[in-house]
Amino acid sequence: LGTHVLRGAGNAIGVVVEISQTRGLPGFDIVGFGEAALRESRVRVTTAIGNCGYQLPDRKYVVSLAPADVRKSGASFELAIAVALLGAAGVCQLEGYEETLFLGELSLDGQLRASRGMLAQLRSARRRGLTRAIVPHEDAAWAELVPEMHVYVARELKQVVDAILGTDQLTLASAAAVRGEPREPLSHHEDLRDVLGQESAKRALEIAAAGEHNLLMVGPPGAGKTMLASRLPQLLPEPTPEEALEIATIASVSGSARDPRCSWQRPFRSPHHSCSEQALIGGGTPIKPGEVTMAHRGVLFLDELPEFRRNAIEALRPTMESGRAVVVRARERIVMPARPLIVSAMNPCPCGYRGEPRCACRSSATVV
């Protein structure tokens, strides 16, 4: 049974769930380099199976997640593990489902819960040649974005088992998704018409948007630098279908949005100047995308640029040159897309009023 483990933003690696049953003390173990949340899955899976009315024979079960040398985390493996266990127990026959992607977290009563990174996992499965997947009903809106793949949705484990047995039918994601206006964003960026005056700054924003130029704004506090930067996404063109899919995939992986309509709006990210290098570029355990990837195809606004940590700015430089955020760890190397339009702002001096005729500068004349 196929499932996936996330690697970076928008990439996933196929994982095969294998089951072996032998005589011995009842129970089952999970092997395959799983982290704590995955090791806890055995409790949720066995409880969900029992609460759905199924009973596993008193056997010793071993669940293997291959490849074994890839670190796995999260609870999206639980549906695949539960179905594989029921298949090994003889509750259902899985012929024809060996190459089906099963994704979803199980609640204790057998309900299917949404999984982070659903869109990235489905796209990766499609590239591997899989044409069928079963996912939680909550992820129907994301699943329908994947073309040329039959994605079915279910609300509970029993519904999936009944579909395998042929006593029930699952609904396609395209039919279950809540539609409306897919091209209408959830919220609109501020309009540049709200800014009074600042004609030269507005012209600079227009040039930056037209030519995809990075921008540095220098001015005293209250001049409107943040107000201008927040209105730059409104000047950018609407994302192409490919760009919208990239934006939606990153949002799905990061968990920052639960509605695919966000993919039709250019992202705007404004991290605080106290953020770390990992927060800006990406990192953590497991590795998650940073602000520069979250702003991919949109705007990354760095307010108070001189206040950012030096190592964070230095890490941002190669990312701006290559358009990729590379996170290297002892056991893995993750490459994430990072092509935002970077806008930064700063004061001309420590007090902020250098060169301002209406307010005297309180900084030393030697400070620049």
Side-chain angles (χ1 to χ4, degrees):
L1 298 177
T3 185
H4 277 66
V5 57
L6 290 176
R7 293 286 297 275
N11 298 317
I13 294 177
V15 175
V16 178
V17 178
E18 300 173 323
I19 300 290
S20 174
Q21 57 175 331
T22 58
R23 293 183 178 180
L25 294 175
F28 80 89
D29 295 321
I30 299 178
V31 297
F33 206 8
E35 296 184 348
L38 182 55
R39 293 194 297 269
E40 294 173 355
S41 294
R42 62 178 184 174
V43 180
R44 288 190 293 270
V45 169
T46 53
T47 305
I49 289 176
N51 289 335
C52 287
Y54 306 112
Q55 185 174 3
L56 297 176
D58 293 336
R59 295 287 189 272
K60 175 67 174 179
Y61 297 94
V62 177
V63 178
S64 175
L65 304 179
D69 61 339
V70 177
R71 184 183 296 274
K72 305 167 187 69
S73 63
S76 61
F77 299 89
E78 292 177 357
L79 176 59
I81 293 174
V83 172
L85 280 171
L86 293 173
V91 176
C92 57
Q93 300 297 322
L94 300 178
E95 286 81 2
Y97 285 87
E98 295 84 355
E99 292 297 324
T100 299
L101 179 69
F102 290 86
L103 288 172
E105 177 184 348
L106 288 175
S107 65
L108 295 182
D109 61 353
Q111 299 294 317
L112 289 178
R113 294 174 175 169
S115 300
R116 182 175 61 88
M118 179 63 64
L119 185 55
Q121 299 180 75
L122 290 172
R123 292 180 63 192
S124 178
R126 182 67 191 92
R127 287 192 294 267
R128 291 179 55 239
L130 300 184
T131 58
R132 181 170 57 183
I134 298 177
V135 303
H137 188 276
E138 295 180 25
D139 288 318
W142 293 105
E144 70 165 344
L145 298 180
V146 182
E148 301 179 2
M149 191 171 187
H150 300 289
V151 183
Y152 299 90
V153 296
R155 297 185 181 273
E156 58 182 0
L157 174 62
K158 190 177 187 304
Q159 189 178 0
V160 176
V161 176
D162 290 343
I164 295 175
L165 293 174
T167 60
D168 194 3
Q169 291 184 347
L170 297 178
T171 305
L172 281 171
S174 57
V178 179
R179 292 188 178 276
E181 296 295 333
R183 285 183 177 266
E184 182 180 350
L186 294 179
S187 61
H188 296 276
H189 289 300
E190 293 86 350
D191 199 290
L192 196 62
R193 289 176 294 184
D194 300 334
V195 181
L196 301 179
Q198 299 284 14
E199 299 303 326
S200 60
K202 291 179 181 179
R203 179 58 178 166
L205 289 180
E206 294 171 354
I207 295 174
E212 298 184 1
H213 303 299
N214 298 321
L215 189 64
L216 171 63
M217 295 186 290
V218 181
K225 301 185 293 296
T226 301
M227 185 178 186
L228 286 164
S230 64
R231 283 150 177 77
L232 180 56
Q234 181 258 343
L235 298 178
L236 299 175
E238 183 179 282
T240 64
E242 181 179 355
E243 291 175 343
L245 194 56
E246 289 181 356
I247 295 172
T249 301
I250 293 173
S252 174
V253 169
S254 63
S256 62
R258 296 302 305 168
D259 195 308
R261 286 181 293 170
C262 67
S263 62
W264 296 107
Q265 179 172 296
R266 300 272 183 180
F268 178 82
R269 306 291 297 187
S270 180
H272 192 263
H273 59 76
S274 62
C275 73
S276 63
E277 175 187 348
Q278 289 74 23
L280 190 61
I281 306 301
T285 304
I287 295 176
K288 294 182 179 180
E291 292 291 331
V292 68
T293 298
M294 296 287 293
H296 180 63
R297 302 294 185 184
V299 175
L300 176 64
F301 178 50
L302 304 179
D303 197 12
E304 303 294 344
L305 181 63
E307 302 297 327
F308 279 82
R309 302 178 186 180
R310 182 180 179 86
N311 61 337
I313 297 299
E314 290 295 330
L316 183 62
R317 179 178 53 81
T319 301
M320 294 174 60
E321 295 174 350
S322 64
R324 302 180 302 167
V326 181
V327 180
V328 180
R329 295 291 183 265
R331 297 188 178 185
E332 56 186 344
R333 180 177 184 270
I334 305 298
V335 180
M336 296 173 282
R339 290 190 178 277
L341 196 159
I342 298 180
V343 179
S344 55
M346 60 178 288
N347 296 327
C349 66
C351 76
Y353 295 101
R354 185 182 181 88
E356 179 65 22
R358 293 174 297 179
C359 187
C361 177
R362 297 188 299 270
S363 302
S364 171
T366 60
V367 177
V368 178

